[in-house]
Amino acid sequence: MEDTTGSNPQSLGFTEKLKSWLSWSWTYVCFVWFGMVLIMVYVLWSPLKLQETLTSASVFLNTLTPKFYVALTGTSSLISGLILIFEWWYFRKYGTSFIEQVSVSHLRPLLGGVESSSTTGLFSSVNGEAEPRPSVSECKVWRNPLNLFRGAEYNRYTWVTGKEPLTYYDMNLSAQDHQTFFTGDTQQLRPEDAVMQKAWRERNPQARIRAAYQAIEINHECAAAYVLLAEEEATTITEAERLFKKALTIGKEGFAYTVVLIYSGKDMNLLVYIKRRLAMCARKLGRIKEAVKMMRDLMKEFPLLGMLNIHENLLEALLELQAYADVQAVLAKYDDISLPKSATICYTSALLKARAVSDKFSPEAASRRGLSTAEMNAVEAIHRAVEFNPHVPKYLLEMKSLILPPEHILKRGDSEAVAYAFFHLQHWKRAEGALNLLHCTWEGTFRIIPYPLEKGHLFYPYPGCTETADRELLPSFHEVSVYPKKELPFFILFTAGLCSFTAMLAMLTHQFPELMGVFAKAFFSTLFAPLGFFADKMESFMPSSFWHQLTQI
């Protein structure tokens, strides 16, 4: 084993040297090859009777009617148009050019370039060494704190529209979350827990519901089974709340043996999940003050579970109550430089500052007198929020249509923007003039962000993996918002120009055949003039007898 590992670096070093030598010599080889071709054409000009061949070819081309050229250019236009349509479809679906991707994948390594991959790459670290670039699969996906109920909300949307609002990737992540949250810490599971563990993995909703009833038959006090029924079988929020309350009663009875409130991992997760969903049920049923109290109690009881982002549920409920002072108090605790940000944190902070000045804000007056301190603070807060997630303003300003939010979101991505705008658009509309201030100022953010976009301004550089991850989280009928906007690939522009040019030639040849014939002759004579000039110079430089004797050899 040691000999093998010791020989690998040598073989790799030889391969790298060979590739670098080939890439260095490739340019010069091309020039030498092109020069040799020109010399061979000149040497074989007389023996192969190339002059007579060109003459006969020109005579043949002169005998062709204009209809042939119309058909030729028309066919070229049709083929390039089909290539353009395919390239455009591929770019819209996958965000890259098919021809460019094939070229980079297959031709670039042959030319000595660095092999690229769709998931990995190289970054330079601080000490100059190469570091692996984070792949698309490494983009951290978070549980949506305000995710809807499948049976009472997502399924009703499917019944009305016939569209699936959740992707399989999103539901698979939820199944993994449930297995992690609700599976016991010990290796030996109870029979009902084993059934529920299998139930979360089921892809068919009816199979999950049947497994939940099977777990209840095994143990009537299986709280996780009632949680699944509340999430997926209940068709109304009221019915879901009833099942969650039953699960909470069973859970409290099961937890009664713990005198000092030290739960196992499964018990604590299940209790927090049930209480949180009960608070969300109260919020949806209009009992907002009750929901706020439940969320505050939950945050006090489990202060170490900040990763669940319960404060985002609290912020939304407080905004519905218009308790802006309480909202500011929550932001003062969680909008900290050491804590991870979210669209809810950044845009709620911008909303509070915009609300203080938006009712009297006028773009014309601001351009005449300048911005006041409060207006400047509001604009800076909007710029900060837009830099964190640039997709949100189009949904708040209703420039893009909203869909049901997914169960998981990608921070700074389109999925997070959909989830935020779905619940918070009403709060922005309630603040008079806030949307007008956002409309006037949000695009100014992009003039602040330095270019290239690898450099950040207030936050870390915008990640490049958001588009692919958002396409996995959001349904196919939704047009994913992409930032930064990708420029059209070269081959799409090239095929579009080629299609337009050949179509124009076909039309002109059909309408003006004689004039286009004269133009074609003049064009080709001009094109081959350098070749004739080169041949004349070669004849004056070397006598013809030399080439005759060379050909005799």
Side-chain angles (χ1 to χ4, degrees), residues 349-365:
S349 177
L351 173 61
L352 293 188
K353 293 181 180 179
R355 174 181 166 273
V357 297
S358 59
D359 56 339
K360 300 177 181 178
F361 177 78
S362 171
E364 295 79 9

Side-chain angles (χ1 to χ4, degrees), residues 285-316:
L285 294 173
R287 305 194 307 271
I288 305 173
K289 291 184 178 180
E290 178 185 345
V292 168
K293 182 180 183 304
M294 294 173 69
M295 293 173 192
R296 290 187 185 277
D297 293 342
L298 192 58
M299 294 169 65
K300 290 179 181 178
E301 188 176 358
F302 302 98
L304 299 180
L305 293 180
M307 65 183 72
L308 298 179
N309 297 324
I310 303 176
H311 59 274
E312 296 194 9
N313 300 80
L314 179 60
L315 283 173
E316 197 279 327

Side-chain angles (χ1 to χ4, degrees), residues 388-419:
F388 182 82
N389 193 317
H391 310 284
V392 173
K394 288 188 176 181
Y395 294 107
L396 293 180
L397 298 173
E398 298 181 271
M399 300 167 65
K400 285 194 67 176
S401 58
L402 272 172
I403 60 171
L404 294 186
E407 292 183 339
H408 289 80
I409 59 174
L410 182 68
K411 287 192 175 183
R412 308 188 74 179
D414 191 34
S415 52
E416 184 190 34
V418 169

Side-chain angles (χ1 to χ4, degrees), residues 46-68:
S46 297
L48 296 181
K49 299 180 180 180
L50 295 179
Q51 181 65 40
E52 290 79 359
T53 304
L54 289 176
T55 304
S56 60
S58 61
V59 171
F60 172 75
L61 292 176
N62 289 330
T63 58
L64 295 175
T65 61
K67 292 183 180 180
F68 170 80

